[in-house]
Amino acid sequence: MDNYQFSILNFQFSTVGTTVLMLAISIFLGLLLGKIKIKGITLGITWVLFVGIGLSALGVACNHDMLHIIKEFGLILFVTAVGLQVGPGFFRSFKKGGLAMNIMALVNVALGVGITVIIAKMANQELTDMAGVYTGAITNTPGLSAAQQAVGDLGIEGASERLAAGYAVAYPLAVVGMIVSCLLLRWFCRIDLKKEPTEEGQTSQTSQTSPTNQTSKKGGILLIPIFIIIALGIVLGTIPIPVGMKAPVKLGLAGGPLVVSLIAGWLGVKKGWYTTEFTDGQGVHMLREVGIALFLAGVGLGAGQAFVATVQTHYMWVVYGVIITMVPPILVTLFGRLVLHLNYYTLMGFIGGSHTDPPTLAFANNVAPEGCKLPNTGYATVYPLTMFLRIFTAQLLVLMAI
């Protein structure tokens, strides 16, 4: 029974109690700090990761197994919600220039992987470690999870912790680096925001039904498809996909639910099973925010103990991360602007979507005039394909290392 007893007077909590407490503190303080803006720039929910790292670095002891379960479940909730939100407009986006942007996203991913491999060879770094830096540099948490699952399946001892450490080291400057990339694109192309168009030919479809009323009437029923999607996604994620290497890749706990929720979001709205008020309503939005908060807090609390030591011994990982973060999107968006003549607001959304990074999208929406939906369009157009590619490439880097 000792494990379930604690003293409020002496602040002696059980390991489980400490874990829940630290998760709550990480998320609370992280969201509070996320409201801070410096010249319109905010790191938003990313602060949850940093607070978790700080608490862990200070020696807070959490239950490792519990952290792992909460972290993975949070990630599943996040990608499921994202798939539902993006799904209804994903296939429609290909009719409005989406194909060209997704080809750009493919090139962006390929450049990132190529640079990672080149750095590993030239700097004599373990490719497995660089896979962690790669996932942090592209701020792709599902990719980190997929890479950790791959090293776990392969039985590589200590690799999961080093992946998380590389991710945590590269992540902070990656968030800043993508925002700087948006600013550099504007400077290179001498873009005048006052002259930049703020609308496309079409706006996103909306329904007349109030999402609040619908949720209040069917709140319990609307949870049913969520957990059906999760169950089917987890099954799909376990199916091995041969790629001609020593081991197959899998969609994993992140990719499986993402694929199923993307299809469910598109097909469900098309068939009238539910409306866009469900897929993009307050309930799904809350699910997404809770999921990513739990995941980031779990990653931070799990990686913080080795964070300081990692920075001291592998400080160059920070430099490598910045290169992986900034070089590909700058090259690709310069092509998009100078050759394809794409809108700047759309390209800012593209940078966020091609790195699956919500803070960059938040920055783009702050820069864009009120009511401008182009950053959201650019983000949503490339996000699904990019997420799949990031999950696969993170695993491929691990498989290339063995």
Side-chain angles (χ1 to χ4, degrees):
M1 295 292 293
D2 289 341
N3 191 47
Y4 298 95
Q5 295 176 350
F6 59 91
S7 169
I8 296 178
L9 182 61
N10 297 321
F11 297 100
Q12 294 175 348
F13 295 85
S14 68
T15 304
V16 172
T18 300
T19 303
V20 175
L21 178 63
M22 291 304 109
L23 283 166
I25 291 175
S26 297
I27 294 172
F28 167 71
L29 291 179
L31 294 177
L32 196 62
L33 290 169
K35 295 182 179 295
I36 298 174
K37 292 184 179 181
I38 301 176
K39 295 184 178 180
I41 299 175
T42 175
L43 297 182
I45 201 170
T46 307
W47 274 109
V48 173
L49 172 69
F50 302 153
V51 173
I53 291 173
L55 291 173
S56 182
L58 290 174
V60 172
C62 295
N63 185 295
H64 178 76
D65 292 335
M66 186 176 178
L67 269 184
H68 180 73
I69 292 172
I70 292 176
K71 178 184 70 175
E72 294 298 337
F73 185 61
L75 182 62
I76 290 170
L77 293 179
F78 172 70
V79 297
T80 299
V82 167
L84 284 171
Q85 289 180 318
V86 174
F90 174 61
F91 296 100
R92 188 170 60 248
S93 69
F94 282 87
K95 299 178 182 179
K96 297 185 291 184
L99 180 59
M101 290 185 63
N102 275 282
I103 293 175
M104 287 170 56
L106 176 63
V107 173
N108 187 68
V109 173
L111 285 173
V113 174
I115 291 172
T116 303
V117 174
I118 291 171
I119 290 175
K121 291 184 177 180
M122 293 184 63
N124 197 28
Q125 297 286 320
E126 291 288 339
L127 193 54
T128 303
D129 294 342
M130 288 303 300
V133 175
Y134 167 77
T135 57
I138 59 173
T139 66
N140 190 266
T141 44
L144 169 65
S145 178
Q148 289 178 318
Q149 188 174 347
V151 297
D153 292 342
L154 295 169
I156 305 176
E157 295 185 4
S160 181
E161 290 75 13
R162 290 175 65 83
L163 281 167
Y167 169 92
V169 167
Y171 195 108
L173 283 184
V175 175
V176 177
M178 277 177 283
I179 293 174
V180 172
S181 297
C182 293
L183 297 174
L184 287 176
L185 174 65
R186 178 181 171 185
W187 182 73
F188 286 147
C189 298
R190 299 184 179 182
I191 295 171
D192 185 350
L193 296 182
K194 295 180 180 180
K195 298 180 180 179
E196 195 71 8
T198 60
E199 294 183 1
E200 281 186 319
Q202 288 182 304
T203 58
S204 59
Q205 296 180 350
T206 57
S207 172
Q208 299 299 320
T209 307
S210 168
T212 303
N213 293 338
Q214 186 183 25
T215 302
S216 63
K217 292 178 182 179
K218 301 181 180 180
I221 297 177
L222 293 180
L223 285 176
I224 295 176
I226 295 289
F227 286 95
I228 292 176
I229 289 169
I230 289 174
L232 293 175
I234 290 174
V235 172
L236 177 64
T238 62
I239 299 174
I241 303 173
V243 290
M245 303 184 74
K246 294 182 179 180
V249 298
K250 300 176 183 177
L251 287 174
L253 294 176
L258 178 65
V259 171
V260 175
S261 61
L262 181 67
I263 296 174
W266 166 69
L267 194 61
V269 170
K270 183 178 180 180
K271 297 293 185 180
W273 299 336
Y274 38 75
T275 67
T276 53
E277 274 68 28
F278 168 59
T279 60
D280 200 24
Q282 295 176 1
V284 174
H285 179 78
M286 175 67 75
L287 200 70
R288 186 189 73 184
E289 296 303 304
V290 169
I292 192 62
L294 288 173
F295 181 83
L296 291 175
V299 170
L301 289 169
Q305 291 181 351
F307 179 77
V308 175
T310 303
V311 172
Q312 291 175 341
T313 57
H314 299 287
Y315 59 90
M316 286 301 296
W317 285 4
V318 178
V319 178
Y320 302 151
V322 170
I323 295 172
I324 297 169
T325 296
M326 295 186 63
V327 173
I330 288 176
L331 292 177
V332 172
T333 53
L334 280 174
F335 175 83
R337 179 68 180 187
L338 299 177
V339 178
L340 301 181
H341 306 293
L342 295 177
N343 184 281
Y344 176 63
Y345 300 124
T346 302
L347 287 174
M348 284 197 295
F350 168 85
I351 291 175
S354 63
H355 283 73
T356 61
D357 184 60
T360 305
L361 177 61
F363 170 77
N365 282 322
N366 286 334
V367 173
E370 185 177 354
C372 178
K373 298 181 180 180
L374 296 182
N376 293 325
T377 300
Y379 185 91
T381 298
V382 299
Y383 186 101
L385 176 63
T386 298
M387 181 67 80
F388 302 147
L389 293 175
R390 297 302 191 187
I391 290 171
F392 275 118
T393 53
Q395 294 178 84
L396 286 174
L397 287 171
V398 170
L399 295 176
M400 290 169 63
I402 61 175

